[in-house]
Amino acid sequence: MYYVYVLQSLKKSSWLYKGSTSDLKRRIAEHNAGKNFSTAPYAPFKLIYYEAYMLKSDAEAREKYLKTSMGMRVIKKQLANYLKSMRSQ
């Protein structure tokens, strides 16, 4: 299985990171340990969304889409209630 995931920074809740991996638990642990240069300043993270795919190419295509402005709008719309609840805390 391959996964596309969205992480939310616990330091800056408005900062979301989109990625893909074949080992979701390991990858989240790497992000939280600061092993990823682009996410290290925003660690630690909470997994707020993921999708599973049978093919790596499908997961990579979905990740690429979610990193576009249109993809970001779609994911924010899907997570609207969650994101709204986080703002009110």
Side-chain angles (χ1 to χ4, degrees):
M1 290 295 256
Y2 297 92
Y3 302 91
V4 174
Y5 59 93
V6 178
L7 300 178
Q8 180 181 37
S9 170
L10 296 178
K11 280 186 180 176
K12 186 177 180 182
S13 63
S14 64
W15 198 82
L16 303 177
Y17 177 80
K18 287 78 60 192
S20 63
T21 185
S22 61
D23 187 339
L24 191 55
K25 287 182 182 181
R26 175 193 52 80
R27 192 67 180 122
I28 294 168
E30 288 174 354
H31 283 294
N32 282 326
K35 292 184 178 180
N36 183 303
F37 179 77
S38 65
T39 61
Y42 301 98
F45 295 94
K46 176 169 59 169
L47 177 68
I48 62 169
Y49 182 81
Y50 73 92
E51 301 171 350
Y53 293 88
M54 296 298 291
L55 299 176
K56 183 178 182 178
S57 58
D58 289 339
E60 289 172 341
R62 179 67 168 167
E63 175 192 7
K64 187 175 179 179
Y65 170 71
L66 291 179
K67 288 184 173 183
T68 66
S69 59
M70 184 61 165
M72 195 61 211
R73 279 184 288 221
V74 167
I75 204 71
K76 282 185 175 181
K77 189 172 184 178
Q78 282 182 276
L79 298 172
N81 291 331
Y82 169 76
L83 295 171
K84 187 178 183 181
S85 73
M86 292 306 296
R87 284 192 295 268
S88 64
Q89 289 183 356

